[in-house]
Amino acid sequence: MNPQVTSADSLRLYPELQQLLDVREAGWVFRLIQDEDGPLEGIAGSFSRQQYTDAIFVFDRTNVSAARVLADENGGGCVWSKQGSGIQEVVFELIGLPEPGQPAAPSLVKRSSLLWTPR
């Protein structure tokens, strides 16, 4: 069995994880991304409000994706997304988004691709 890694241990090795710890303290929920008994592939985090859900997916230091998805009652669909950048940049942009209905809040639903391809 592997020894438990503390937040302090993680931050010593990967200081950019501080942003994830900060949003966790603000109410975000995180889950591991892995197949049963398989290697850890990443971390997924989400923060849900009545109007929307923000999500972030971290696969490594520079492979990070995030999105804001509106609830169906608010039009439904993805109104903001970013991918391929570092943790700090993506988290900073995501938590800086105005609430739906506020000035400069993203509201145009992005059209999804008809073709889905696995990683």
Side-chain angles (χ1 to χ4, degrees):
M1 187 153 163
N2 293 331
Q4 184 166 345
V5 177
T6 67
S7 295
D9 294 335
S10 299
L11 289 175
R12 271 193 295 283
L13 293 171
Y14 308 103
E16 62 272 20
L17 292 177
Q18 182 64 56
Q19 280 73 25
L20 296 181
L21 293 174
D22 291 345
V23 296
R24 184 180 70 181
E25 292 297 317
W28 283 63
V29 177
F30 286 89
R31 294 161 218 76
L32 300 178
I33 301 172
Q34 69 184 122
D35 291 329
E36 188 174 323
D37 299 322
L40 179 64
E41 294 185 30
I43 299 170
S46 63
F47 181 77
S48 294
R49 295 273 195 196
Q50 186 174 9
Q51 299 170 308
Y52 66 94
T53 296
D54 286 342
I56 187 165
F57 304 91
V58 180
F59 297 102
D60 66 39
R61 288 176 155 168
T62 59
N63 186 0
V64 180
S65 299
R68 172 169 285 174
V69 178
L70 296 179
D72 288 341
E73 303 80 42
N74 293 81
C78 180
V79 293
W80 180 90
S81 65
K82 185 169 182 74
Q83 58 189 10
S85 299
I87 294 170
Q88 293 171 321
E89 179 183 340
V90 173
V91 171
F92 180 77
E93 286 190 39
L94 182 59
I95 64 173
L97 291 175
E99 296 281 322
Q102 298 295 314
S107 60
L108 183 62
V109 174
K110 295 176 171 265
R111 183 180 171 152
S112 62
S113 170
L114 296 176
L115 176 63
W116 177 82
T117 56
R119 294 185 337 134

